[in-house]
Amino acid sequence: MSDATLKIFRGTREIGATVDYRVPIAPGMVVLDALHYVQSHLAPDLAVRWNCKAGKCGSCSAEVNGRPRLTCKTRMDTFPQDKPITILPMKSFPVIKDLVTDVSWNYKVNKKIPPFQPRAGVEWRMYQEDIDRVQEFRKCIECFLCQNVCHVLRDHDKQEQFGGPRFFVRVAGLEMHPLDGLQRTGLLKTELGIGLCNITKCCTEVCPEDIHITDNAIIPLKERVVDDFYDPLLGLVRKIRNAKEPAK
Amino acid sequence: MASAGDTRLGRAAGQPAWWLQVVPVILGLGAFAVYATLRAFEGAYFQWGPYLSPFYSPLIDVHHKYWPFSPALLILGGPLGFRVTCYYYRKAYYRAFFFDPPACAVTEKSGRVYRGETRFPLILQNAHRYFLYLAVIFMAFLWHDAVRGFLFNDGFGVGVGSIVLLANVSLLSLYFLSCHSLRHLVGGKLDCFSCAVAGRARHQAWSWLGALNEQHMLFAWISLFGVGLADFYVRLVSSGAIRDLRLL
């Protein structure tokens, strides 16, 4: 059995550094297993958030060798054994301790989004063709890796003006719902700042549920915002039809 | 000691070199831009027999009655605008030329004001659908040119150039059909396919375009090189550098 060196961030938001640990590698081992080994044998005070260890709870997000990942879905044998594996907390969120970050900002953003509201007099029947798109968005496990990797939050600190990919996925699920009666394009344009997204697809690249966040959620929402705010022809058609303008 | 908020956190050891993704895009787009600019200003060697270079189609004022410069300059704004505002190319050049971000989880230069696509000039990216409408006209001309490429002075025939022009317009059609805005206009904008007029047909069309859309990046690249190669072939034949091989 060979050993691997883990360089794990230890500390708080104010002060911290990576510390090296030697961990024996077993077949099929994932990074979270290695962290548990460190916790049980070498550093019992190591703080790691985890729950299901099956890639479904979204708790164990971290940055392994610079890439945001779920540590429970990242196999140790995908890394060269002769080089140290660096494990850091998610950069976009404040560190509480070691690998545990404070992701409560996400829940505040979530509260801005009006929940599902059925259309008046709606018939409660849905067809598969109407919910194909929405089902993809329901796979989200809220690991917040997409929020972490998004450069608008990560490098430009636009938390006050921008909702982030996770919440565009949520809004897409509501906006494309066949029975929902609310329009959220005004919210997308203003409070959630979808115009700040420059569609560089990092959110899609890191999504452990393989949700096509950019192509299937963000870009369709951007197109809906164009429909309601930037397309002069559609604006003219709306005026001619005396259609109700979206809330701004 | 380094704090967890340190910008260096995004550049952990073991992270793949970010420039490996960026350099091919810079070389590919840069080479095409240089070649296309030279050819657009050249104003010569764009026609031979039944072949017309796609850079010059539709051919306007070829005898310089109203326009003294290269006729390509009259029309290239359409295809250029379609590609520049394309959702795939936006991702590619934001990463490669603006380093915004250079790659996922790679720290950007600090100190720059980031406004995404919310202000002029990048807010004009929202006009992509209008370039799509223009592209319909260009596609019609290019299909006309491709068919005409089989009609020689002595009647129907097949030359290497005929196949080159047909391949070019086929690749351009795949790029056009996989466009995000087209997918939105065809059916993506609907919340409920089963409630809409011609909803089933629109759902079917949306599904097909969605399948093509998954390969939008591939079609963007091969159609870009295809159009460059088609022009290059016509130039070689037109300038007498090579003779067109008649197959039939």
Side-chain angles (χ1 to χ4, degrees):
Chain A
M1 193 186 290
S2 60
D3 283 3
T5 302
L6 265 56
K7 293 173 88 72
I8 305 173
F9 179 82
R10 302 299 313 271
T12 62
R13 188 178 189 183
E14 289 74 33
I15 193 160
T18 56
V19 177
D20 289 4
Y21 298 97
R22 295 287 294 172
V23 175
I25 302 296
M29 194 174 192
V30 293
V31 171
L32 184 58
D33 290 324
L35 292 172
H36 283 163
Y37 180 90
V38 173
Q39 216 174 29
S40 58
H41 293 82
L42 306 170
D45 60 338
L46 174 68
V48 183
R49 185 184 281 134
W50 70 284
N51 198 337
C52 74
K53 204 173 169 290
K56 286 295 162 197
C57 72
S59 302
C60 62
S61 303
E63 301 196 358
V64 184
N65 276 0
R67 186 177 171 82
R69 305 167 189 260
L70 290 183
T71 56
C72 72
K73 281 184 80 173
T74 307
R75 290 174 64 107
M76 292 291 284
D77 58 13
T78 56
F79 303 106
Q81 300 288 302
D82 56 332
K83 290 180 182 161
I85 299 166
T86 307
I87 307 167
L88 304 174
M90 289 195 284
K91 181 177 179 250
S92 298
F93 303 110
V95 173
I96 296 173
K97 183 176 186 297
D98 303 338
L99 300 180
V100 176
T101 51
D102 177 5
V103 294
S104 59
W105 168 80
N106 293 287
Y107 307 123
K108 289 177 193 157
V109 177
N110 195 40
K111 284 179 184 167
K112 294 180 184 173
I113 302 170
F116 171 78
Q117 189 168 315
R119 280 185 275 119
V122 70
E123 184 190 0
W124 288 92
R125 180 183 291 182
M126 289 188 286
Y127 295 89
Q128 186 61 41
E129 68 210 44
D130 291 325
I131 54 167
D132 281 341
R133 289 175 291 181
V134 180
Q135 282 181 318
E136 181 186 11
F137 308 138
R138 303 289 291 191
K139 291 195 299 179
C140 177
I141 57 173
E142 294 206 318
C143 60
F144 301 127
L145 287 175
C146 58
Q147 303 285 80
N148 176 50
V149 81
C150 176
H151 73 121
V152 181
L153 301 168
R154 187 183 180 94
D155 292 316
H156 300 293
D157 300 321
K158 297 282 186 187
Q159 277 80 355
E160 292 301 313
Q161 297 126 282
F162 188 62
R166 158 59 194 135
F167 298 103
F168 295 139
V169 167
R170 176 154 187 252
V171 173
L174 292 164
E175 280 293 287
M176 297 176 196
H177 196 291
L179 306 184
D180 182 74
L182 280 184
Q183 198 167 18
R184 298 170 185 80
T185 47
L187 177 85
L188 283 167
K189 181 172 178 277
T190 54
E191 282 191 74
L192 298 184
I194 196 167
L196 288 168
C197 168
N198 67 347
I199 49 171
T200 45
K201 278 200 170 181
C202 290
C203 49
T204 305
E205 285 187 24
V206 301
C207 179
E209 284 294 309
D210 200 26
I211 301 171
H212 293 199
I213 300 173
T214 317
D215 287 316
N216 292 348
I218 297 177
I219 293 175
L221 290 178
K222 275 183 170 261
E223 286 291 317
R224 286 174 183 233
V225 170
V226 174
D227 283 348
D228 288 347
F229 296 99
Y230 297 112
D231 188 329
L233 271 184
L234 283 182
L236 189 65
V237 169
R238 264 195 305 273
K239 275 186 182 168
I240 290 169
R241 287 182 179 168
N242 269 335
K244 209 174 170 183
E245 289 288 331
K248 293 188 180 179
Chain B
M1 295 291 244
S3 81
D6 194 308
T7 54
R8 285 172 294 167
L9 279 180
R11 292 179 179 172
Q15 190 175 33
W18 56 267
W19 51 267
L20 285 176
Q21 295 174 28
V22 164
V23 169
V25 176
I26 293 174
L27 292 177
L29 290 182
F32 182 84
V34 169
Y35 175 76
T37 305
L38 291 175
R39 280 292 287 145
F41 280 94
E42 188 174 22
Y45 306 126
F46 50 81
Q47 207 169 16
W48 180 87
Y51 306 150
L52 173 63
S53 160
F55 283 6
Y56 287 79
S57 178
L59 195 51
I60 301 171
D61 194 25
V62 67
H63 300 298
H64 303 295
K65 199 173 172 187
Y66 303 104
W67 177 254
F69 309 107
S70 165
L73 299 175
L74 289 171
I75 55 113
L76 277 183
L80 180 70
F82 187 53
R83 295 225 184 227
V84 166
T85 59
C86 162
Y87 285 102
Y88 166 68
Y89 284 113
R90 275 146 77 175
K91 172 209 162 186
Y93 64 73
Y94 285 143
R95 282 197 191 187
F97 292 96
F98 295 90
F99 287 4
D100 212 2
C104 301
V106 172
T107 306
E108 294 174 33
K109 273 187 184 174
S110 57
R112 285 187 304 141
V113 177
Y114 177 79
R115 296 197 176 98
E117 298 180 339
T118 61
R119 297 279 192 279
F120 182 83
L122 293 182
I123 200 168
L124 296 177
Q125 305 280 29
N126 290 312
H128 184 51
R129 63 181 58 178
Y130 283 90
F131 288 108
L132 175 78
Y133 305 149
L134 268 179
V136 175
I137 300 167
F138 280 92
M139 291 308 302
F141 276 103
L142 289 169
W143 271 106
H144 170 265
D145 296 339
V147 172
R148 214 173 131 259
F150 289 89
L151 303 175
F152 292 81
N153 286 337
D154 54 350
F156 178 81
V158 179
V160 171
S162 318
I163 294 168
V164 166
L165 292 183
L166 182 64
N168 170 54
V169 76
S170 302
L171 294 175
L172 287 171
S173 298
L174 286 171
Y175 173 57
F176 171 82
L177 290 171
S178 61
C179 168
H180 291 85
S181 286
L182 181 65
R183 181 181 64 158
H184 172 76
L185 295 167
V186 164
K189 65 194 298 176
L190 296 176
D191 293 340
C192 177
F193 287 105
S194 62
C195 320
V197 178
R200 284 187 189 275
R202 290 183 75 176
H203 179 262
Q204 190 60 63
W206 171 81
S207 303
W208 287 337
L209 296 182
L212 287 174
N213 178 261
E214 289 180 19
Q215 305 301 325
H216 194 50
M217 178 182 84
L218 176 70
F219 297 143
W221 279 110
I222 59 175
S223 67
L224 188 78
F225 286 112
V227 75
L229 288 173
D231 171 78
F232 187 57
Y233 184 82
V234 174
R235 193 193 184 284
L236 288 178
V237 173
S238 177
S239 64
I242 61 167
R243 286 187 63 187
D244 181 51
L245 187 62
R246 185 79 178 263
L247 304 172
L248 196 68

